[in-house]
Amino acid sequence: MKAHLILTLTLAAPALAEPQVPVFQDQTATSGIAHAYTGDWEFMVGGGVAAFDCSGDGLPELFFAGGTSPAALYRNQSTPGKLAFAPQVSGLEADRVTGAWPLDVDSDGVMDLVVLRSGEDLVMRGLGECQFQRANEAWGFDGGDLWSTAFAATWEPGATWPTLAVGSYIDRKEEAFPWGSCTENRLYRPKGQGFAAPLALKPAFCALSMLFTDWNLSGRPSLRVSNDREYYKGGTEQLWHLEAEPRLYGPDEGWKPLKIWGMGIASADVNGDLYPDYYLTSMADQKLQTLADGPGKAQFKDVAFGLGATAHRPYVGGDARPSTGWHAELQDVNDDGYVDLYVVKGNVSAMPDFAKDDPNNLLLGGDTGFTEAGDRAGVASMRQGRGGSVVDLDGDGRLDLVAANRNAGAEVWRNTGSDTAGAPLGHWLMLAPQAPGANRDAVGGWIEVRVGERVQRRELTVGGGQGGGQIGWRHFGLGAAEAAEVRVIWPDGTQGAWQSLAADGFYHLPKGDPAIKR
């Protein structure tokens, strides 16, 4: 266990300097984005945003789920310092969309999009120049007719086509009494250049987030599922073995029942032990889980309270009722080398026991835990949040913030690169692994960044979040370091060579070859 983790549990440890609070500018009004996730009962959950480059210019477009409004793609026209987007007619203008995740399904170098709906799910093939066409029939994808709310993807060992997991919510026919009516989750495995008939993952407990993750560094991912206790009866959080016949982890393997209003999953190595940790959003308090006794068993402990990451009630605004967390991401927004935590919040609808004025969180990480800075950073939105994204929108290497809101307009904030005292933030790297053949984005692999003796390790995943995710440049903060050593551990287990890269640059990382600076 790293020394900095031990410090978090030692009350006598000396206090360290407070992390730099980054300054964000609200550029929503001038960004060109004007979109809301609308609807009543069937659209109380979902409402995410997907960030990915479909134009080929290196900047991420934003695709917003719409609910009863048409989903919308906004083409990125930003320049450093100014966020600018324009609506793009793309073929993605479906209704009843709850969320979407980018994925290069056919590994042709053009990003595709998996679109979840209350109704038939869609796999949309990218044609280039931000144009898409339906590929359900061509790729054998049975989109079903469920209330779909969660997604994850991976490539199983030796496969040239991805495996998809889709989670669903409650039976829409049971509006009068929905409790106990959670519908099945589905696993789509490859069949040639397409998908086999979906395999039902039962029992299912109203999934709102899924993530394929190699929690024990075994080389084979498992499927983590976060479920909403509001509607299941006798359910719990789940972890599935991804075997020929998937099966749940059980108590003999260390897995302990956990019942939360599970809404989103975020993953990163928070405590420095080089294993992924998991932040789970919920109502009333959020969970931050780390391995309890190493990789031998799937036993996790909650360390959110000790690290100041419960985010259990509003920190500004005067509403003392419990919070409702949705989308979460662990990213380094102030570039000090420690991951920070962005949580999008908002009341489900008008639940009287939970906060109405519920600001989004920006918890800044450091040696001893997390420090709330959402109000000082300028991102404490009180809108009814759902989805979000932490992503560099203007190509300046700094991470910006997006919030997708229910029955209210989406918001974007630009990271200015300086703190509240006017000092510049730390150095950074933007990295993009490139694998030959299938799985071009190296989903299921890892990136390691080393400065001195300290290593940051990031798992390359597709899934998690609330209603959306991203693929593109992978960001690492470096603090004061002007260079770092970088390597990729590829999905097949091959370990790339360490390479020294100068800070503050964008680098492609082709397998077997030196890094290429953009």
Side-chain angles (χ1 to χ4, degrees):
M1 182 178 293
K2 296 288 186 180
H4 65 266
L5 176 61
I6 297 173
L7 286 176
T8 66
L9 304 177
T10 306
L11 296 178
L16 299 182
E18 183 172 297
Q20 283 184 285
V21 178
V23 173
F24 287 84
Q25 292 179 345
D26 185 347
Q27 295 194 358
T28 303
T30 57
S31 68
I33 294 173
H35 191 270
Y37 181 69
T38 60
D40 293 322
W41 183 69
E42 284 186 53
F43 303 103
M44 61 184 175
V45 299
V49 55
F52 61 104
D53 177 16
C54 61
S55 65
D57 64 358
L59 296 176
E61 276 66 53
L62 295 176
F63 174 80
F64 291 91
T68 56
S69 301
L73 179 70
Y74 285 84
R75 189 156 181 164
N76 197 336
Q77 300 175 338
S78 303
T79 55
K82 181 180 180 181
L83 304 184
F85 292 83
Q88 170 77 50
V89 176
S90 62
L92 297 172
E93 298 80 14
D95 66 354
R96 306 182 67 80
V97 173
T98 57
W101 283 259
L103 182 73
D104 188 357
V105 174
D106 56 355
S107 299
D108 65 351
V110 179
M111 199 58 64
D112 312 306
L113 198 66
V114 179
V115 178
L116 302 190
R117 302 173 67 239
S118 181
E120 183 191 27
D121 299 328
L122 306 172
V123 176
M124 302 297 293
R125 182 179 182 180
L127 304 176
E129 285 300 316
C130 294
Q131 298 300 302
F132 295 83
Q133 70 178 12
R134 176 186 173 102
N136 286 34
E137 290 75 21
W139 289 346
F141 179 80
D142 176 2
D145 184 18
L146 299 173
W147 183 350
S148 297
T149 46
F151 178 79
T154 192
W155 269 259
E156 296 187 64
T160 59
W161 203 260
T163 292
L164 313 180
V166 175
S168 71
Y169 204 47
I170 55 184
D171 188 335
R172 292 167 291 169
K173 299 188 298 293
E174 302 296 336
E175 183 173 357
F177 192 85
W179 295 274
S181 71
C182 299
T183 49
E184 70 182 29
N185 299 329
R186 292 180 157 195
L187 188 70
Y188 296 82
R189 281 183 151 144
K191 182 180 180 181
Q193 296 298 295
F195 297 99
L199 175 66
L201 292 178
K202 295 181 178 181
F205 300 126
C206 290
L208 285 179
S209 195
M210 290 177 151
L211 187 69
F212 285 112
T213 177
D214 187 1
W215 63 271
N216 59 352
L217 308 186
S218 67
R220 188 175 186 90
S222 302
L223 178 62
R224 180 147 196 166
V225 185
S226 195
N227 300 306
D228 183 3
R229 66 179 289 179
E230 180 72 16
Y231 293 105
Y232 63 63
K233 291 183 176 180
T236 180
E237 297 290 282
Q238 295 171 302
L239 187 67
W240 290 86
H241 288 276
L242 195 59
E243 299 175 346
E245 292 293 332
R247 63 180 178 86
L248 286 167
Y249 279 81
D252 59 323
E253 298 169 292
W255 186 252
K256 294 182 178 180
L258 175 64
K259 299 175 184 291
I260 61 174
W261 289 277
M263 295 177 178
I265 304 173
S267 177
D269 175 21
V270 174
N271 62 14
D273 65 358
L274 301 183
Y275 289 90
D277 307 308
Y278 304 97
Y279 194 78
L280 312 175
T281 57
S282 180
M283 300 167 72
D285 67 340
Q286 332 298 319
K287 308 295 184 184
L288 177 55
Q289 292 195 328
T290 65
L291 277 173
D293 295 302
K297 286 193 172 184
Q299 184 173 337
F300 293 86
K301 59 184 178 182
D302 180 18
V303 297
F305 181 80
L307 297 184
T310 56
H312 57 288
R313 59 181 76 242
Y315 55 94
V316 291
D319 195 331
R321 291 172 292 181
S323 284
T324 304
W326 295 90
H327 184 83
E329 285 192 48
L330 288 158
Q331 299 272 10
D332 187 357
V333 298
N334 61 358
D335 292 323
D336 64 354
Y338 293 92
V339 291
D340 310 308
L341 178 59
Y342 176 54
V343 183
V344 178
K345 288 186 168 176
N347 197 295
V348 174
S349 182
M351 298 186 74
D353 294 333
F354 293 87
K356 176 183 177 183
D357 296 325
D358 201 359
N360 297 345
N361 297 94
L362 186 63
L363 292 150
L364 302 178
D367 276 12
T368 59
F370 291 90
T371 302
E372 181 60 68
D375 52 342
R376 290 174 288 163
V379 298
S381 172
M382 294 287 189
R383 296 185 185 181
Q384 195 177 84
R386 288 298 185 267
S389 192
V390 184
V391 60
D392 177 14
L393 294 173
D394 60 348
D396 66 355
R398 306 293 184 180
L399 291 174
D400 309 305
L401 301 180
V402 183
N405 299 308
R406 181 171 181 247
N407 297 324
E411 299 165 285
V412 292
W413 296 270
R414 187 184 72 85
N415 187 333
T416 67
S418 62
D419 67 11
T420 52
L425 302 179
H427 294 291
W428 49 268
L429 286 172
M430 285 287 198
L431 307 172
Q434 294 178 331
N439 191 9
R440 293 172 59 93
D441 295 295
V443 176
W446 306 78
I447 298 177
E448 293 186 333
V449 173
R450 184 167 65 191
V451 175
E453 294 184 357
R454 186 166 182 268
V455 176
Q456 299 180 60
R457 177 184 285 169
R458 181 69 56 85
E459 187 176 18
L460 305 178
T461 61
V462 173
Q466 167 61 206
Q470 59 177 275
I471 285 185
W473 297 102
R474 310 285 180 157
H475 176 274
F476 290 82
L478 302 181
E482 297 182 353
E485 295 179 290
V486 173
R487 74 170 179 177
V488 179
I489 302 175
W490 300 93
D492 63 5
T494 303
Q495 296 185 2
W498 287 102
Q499 304 179 64
S500 181
L501 302 180
D504 304 333
F506 291 73
Y507 296 89
H508 296 283
L509 303 176
K511 187 175 183 180
D513 291 317
I516 301 170
K517 189 171 184 179
R518 189 187 71 175

